[in-house]
Amino acid sequence: MPKPLSLAFDPIARADEHWKQRWGSVPSMAAITSIMRAHQILLAEVDAVVKPYGLTFARYEALVLLTFSKAGELPMSKIGERLMVHPTSVTNTVDRLVRSGLVERRPNPNDGRGTLASITDKGREVCDAATRDLMAMDFGLGVYDAEECGEIFAMLRPLRVAAHDFDGE
């Protein structure tokens, strides 16, 4: 699919100018619009890298989380908690990974009603290969150096703390 032609102007900066004229200066409007556009760009780039592995970035994140766990498996509820997604999203993600042979489900021996998701050997291989490819393209952030990536992380952290993603202390 060909890339769209670039505009001769920054549409977000232009919108900011119009916003100022109509409603006054609201820097948060340009910031949120830039963040949302960056999200679209990054998600498209990383999804394109993991697509050949039959993954989306969400499925890739679930595989990585399972590889980080001691036994290579976690309760479904813990996956949702760690990835900060709704239980339905976890179910859909794990269902797709199971169909691809990358994850298996089994009853949780510590919780009669719970289910564990376990990464398979094939899942580990796919996760490792996709990770190499994502690292090679700097997760889409190659226009920034390590220090700037750290600054982005630090700048967004208070927003995540305010949303109660974690205790910021």
Side-chain angles (χ1 to χ4, degrees):
M1 182 165 139
K3 287 194 174 209
L5 296 175
S6 294
L7 295 174
F9 61 92
D10 180 345
I12 296 173
R14 177 79 51 89
D16 187 43
E17 292 169 16
H18 290 297
W19 194 282
K20 286 176 188 170
Q21 292 169 4
R22 178 144 187 178
W23 292 298
S25 181
V26 182
S28 56
M29 186 285 300
I32 184 66
T33 306
S34 293
I35 290 168
M36 298 302 265
R37 179 61 185 134
H39 175 262
Q40 291 172 333
I41 292 165
L42 293 171
L43 195 56
E45 288 184 11
V46 297
D47 273 349
V49 169
V50 298
K51 185 177 183 180
Y53 300 102
L55 298 174
T56 60
F57 193 65
R59 284 181 232 149
Y60 168 77
E61 286 181 306
L63 285 179
V64 169
L65 181 61
L66 290 172
T67 65
F68 287 166
S69 67
K70 290 177 189 162
E73 62 186 13
L74 287 170
M76 299 284 282
S77 59
K78 189 67 71 179
I79 294 171
E81 177 185 302
R82 298 268 170 84
L83 296 179
M84 295 172 274
V85 296
H86 191 273
T88 303
S89 296
V90 174
T91 300
N92 291 337
T93 296
V94 171
D95 284 349
R96 299 250 177 154
L97 292 169
V98 167
R99 283 197 294 274
S100 299
L102 306 177
V103 168
E104 295 173 343
R105 288 178 188 261
R106 71 180 188 89
N108 186 343
N110 301 323
D111 175 2
R113 296 177 299 149
T115 302
L116 293 173
S118 305
I119 192 166
T120 64
D121 289 341
K122 179 182 175 186
R124 287 183 191 281
E125 290 171 15
V126 166
C127 184
D128 287 346
T131 297
R132 281 191 297 274
D133 290 352
L134 287 167
M135 288 172 61
M137 55 86 75
D138 289 322
F139 287 87
L141 293 171
V143 298
Y144 301 106
D145 64 22
E147 184 177 331
E148 290 167 322
C149 285
E151 290 170 8
I152 292 167
F153 178 80
M155 189 173 289
L156 295 174
R157 194 170 196 274
L159 179 69
R160 296 172 48 233
V161 170
H164 305 288
D165 277 0
F166 60 98
D167 180 4
E169 295 301 319

